[in-house]
Amino acid sequence: MKIRQLLSNFSYTIFSNFVTLGVSTILILIVPKLIGIKAYGYWQLYMFYTSYAGVLAFGWIDDIYLRFGGWQYDELDKTLFHSQFLMILMSQLVISFFVFIYSLFNSDANMKFIFQMFAICLVLYNMRVFILYVLQDTNRIREYALINSIGRVIYFILAIVILLVGVRKYKPLIIADLIGRTTALFFGIYAIRDIVFLKLSTFYWSFYEAWLNISVGIKLLVANFAGLLIIGVVRYGIQMFWGVSVFGKVSLTLNISNLLMTFISAISLVLYPVLRRMSRQKAKNIYLDIREILMIVLFFGMFLYYPIDYLLPIWLPKYQDSLVYMALLFPMCIYQGKFELLVNTFLKTFRYEKALLNINLISLLISVVVTAFNVFFIHNLTVLMFSIILILWVQSSLGEFYLTKQLNISILGDIFLETVIVISFMLSGWLLTFPQNIAGYGFTFCFYVWIKRRKIGKGINYLKLNIGKQAQ
């Protein structure tokens, strides 16, 4: 059970993420068409807030992910995990209660509703993450994929039914999302039922374990939180200065530009437990080979921009003024994909959480300064959109510089070449029309493949020989 098991895990995660991608794509195309710009803005605001729900676990769950990556499920101390599960659940219920109380003091009825739904969501979200981390760490990828998919499928079915019966409000869509999350949580609880449903007498207050998880996991939590805020600060600035409607329009463009990240996430969640089983030296050697293949996949994925750019303004004419920024934002997948799969995964594998934290904090500081300067002085949405790519470039480059320094390799030339290709894509997309823009980028892409042709072949062969041996 070597390379076959690894490919099986990839197939489960890719299918799961393909389902998520399909649901997200259809909802991205249909919902803004039907519910109106302001309602869509509130729906996106709820989705925006829920992306930060994990912060309210305060690193408790994150360290479980770090410490037990690569373990076998039967090796886990079930009594300890049972106690941790119940303690985390109690903490989330308390926090949810205070969020709900906070919502009652909000004079805006829409914001009050959003915060109340967020209070429910954070419990569902964090308990599901606990389960998913246990499954991912112990390489139970099939169950992971099922739980990851089922909630989105239920949400999708309910959302479509809501829209088909003529409902054009955002609140039922949020309730549908919560029903989907609840369903996924129940499936997750069943998957680890021998942890959740132990006798009550086996529970004990494992405060030392909780403190151990929080004290170490807080670094990863803050690092992840800072990573989310890098784009979140920009989006919050848009909401505060340009309003909910513009926030919704820009969110649509960001969502479309970020679709390719679904597949990157699928690869990274399978790769992490495999890397944890590798020797440090072998993980170092494999970095460059993964990088070569990843960049080809990402740059090839950029061709999705051209049919989307042509068809989407026809389908969503009300959003045409924000869709023009897609040429600037589509390269998000390049830098976020590289950071997620390479920098994030390898830094966690080598336990460089502090370095990850510093990289994300520096990038966040740049994001805050750039956004504040734009909101208070320039007031230019185009400049703010371009700054997103600039900030992500800084984050990705800083991460790679640190990581490759630890690995004693140099990728300065690669980063320069990739930057030239991204700039070429952005300029051709912004200044040229179809088919000149696709021809320009196509020529650049072919040139890149020609330069990298030997390294790509070498990388594929090396991965076949070495990653497969670690799959269990």
Side-chain angles (χ1 to χ4, degrees), residues 397-426:
S397 300
L398 282 175
E400 283 213 276
F401 283 143
Y402 177 85
L403 185 57
T404 52
K405 183 180 178 182
Q406 308 305 313
L407 304 179
N408 295 316
I409 55 179
S410 176
I411 55 159
L412 188 60
D414 291 301
I415 290 178
F416 175 77
L417 178 61
E418 291 153 11
T419 303
V420 170
I421 294 175
V422 168
I423 292 173
S424 170
F425 173 87
M426 294 170 69

Side-chain angles (χ1 to χ4, degrees), residues 13-282:
T13 56
I14 288 173
F15 175 76
S16 168
N17 283 272
F18 182 76
V19 170
T20 302
L21 176 64
V23 169
S24 299
T25 302
I26 294 172
L27 291 178
I28 284 171
L29 293 175
I30 293 178
V31 174
K33 180 78 173 177
L34 298 178
I35 70 171
I37 294 175
K38 193 161 188 179
Y40 182 77
Y42 281 118
W43 182 51
Q44 284 300 304
L45 201 57
Y46 162 79
M47 301 304 289
F48 176 56
Y49 286 144
T50 57
S51 65
Y52 295 95
V55 176
L56 296 175
F58 302 110
W60 198 338
I61 305 173
D62 299 83
D63 190 51
I64 293 173
Y65 171 75
L66 285 174
R67 290 172 58 203
F68 296 96
W71 284 47
Q72 298 297 329
Y73 185 75
D74 292 337
E75 296 173 346
L76 300 179
D77 182 341
K78 304 294 173 57
T79 303
L80 175 64
F81 272 75
H82 170 74
S83 301
Q84 289 293 292
F85 179 87
L86 292 181
M87 288 176 67
I88 293 171
L89 176 60
M90 286 184 274
S91 72
Q92 294 306 294
L93 289 173
V94 170
I95 294 169
S96 175
F97 172 76
F98 283 111
V99 172
F100 192 88
I101 295 298
Y102 170 78
S103 72
L104 299 178
F105 294 95
N106 201 311
S107 58
D108 186 326
N110 288 304
M111 293 304 298
K112 180 183 294 186
F113 177 79
I114 288 172
F115 276 115
Q116 289 173 350
M117 296 303 101
F118 171 69
I120 299 171
C121 178
L122 74 89
V123 178
L124 301 174
Y125 177 90
N126 284 319
M127 299 318 299
R128 185 180 71 104
V129 167
F130 175 91
I131 294 167
L132 290 178
Y133 278 176
V134 170
L135 296 175
Q136 183 185 351
D137 279 348
T138 56
N139 212 27
R140 293 177 60 185
I141 302 299
R142 182 171 61 179
E143 293 95 330
Y144 179 103
L146 173 63
I147 296 163
N148 209 34
S149 304
I150 191 68
R152 301 300 295 173
V153 171
I154 297 296
Y155 170 46
F156 171 73
I157 293 171
L158 291 175
I160 294 300
V161 170
I162 288 167
L163 295 172
L164 285 176
V165 298
V167 177
R168 296 295 181 262
K169 298 178 180 179
Y170 74 92
K171 291 181 179 180
L173 293 174
I174 292 177
I175 294 172
D177 173 69
L178 294 176
I179 293 172
R181 291 177 187 273
T182 303
T183 306
L185 179 59
F186 285 154
F187 271 87
I189 289 172
Y190 180 78
I192 62 165
R193 57 193 179 278
D194 53 341
I195 288 177
V196 176
F197 297 116
L198 292 181
K199 292 181 179 179
L200 190 60
S201 59
T202 62
F203 171 80
Y204 63 96
W205 296 98
S206 49
F207 290 112
Y208 174 76
E209 181 73 14
W211 169 249
L212 183 63
N213 287 330
I214 293 173
S215 61
V216 177
I218 196 70
K219 294 178 184 177
L220 182 59
L221 169 74
V222 176
N224 291 339
F225 183 45
L228 287 171
L229 282 177
I230 290 169
I231 305 301
V233 165
V234 179
R235 295 181 68 184
Y236 185 73
I238 292 170
Q239 185 224 333
M240 293 299 293
F241 187 80
W242 282 278
V244 173
S245 296
V246 175
F247 175 86
K249 289 182 177 182
V250 171
S251 294
L252 173 67
T253 308
L254 287 168
N255 290 339
I256 294 167
S257 301
N258 222 11
L259 286 177
L260 196 59
M261 280 300 297
T262 303
F263 293 100
I264 303 304
S265 299
I267 298 170
S268 64
L269 73 89
V270 173
L271 190 61
Y272 175 71
V274 173
L275 289 175
R276 286 299 300 269
R277 294 190 180 103
M278 281 186 175
S279 68
R280 186 181 180 90
Q281 186 59 44
K282 187 170 286 187

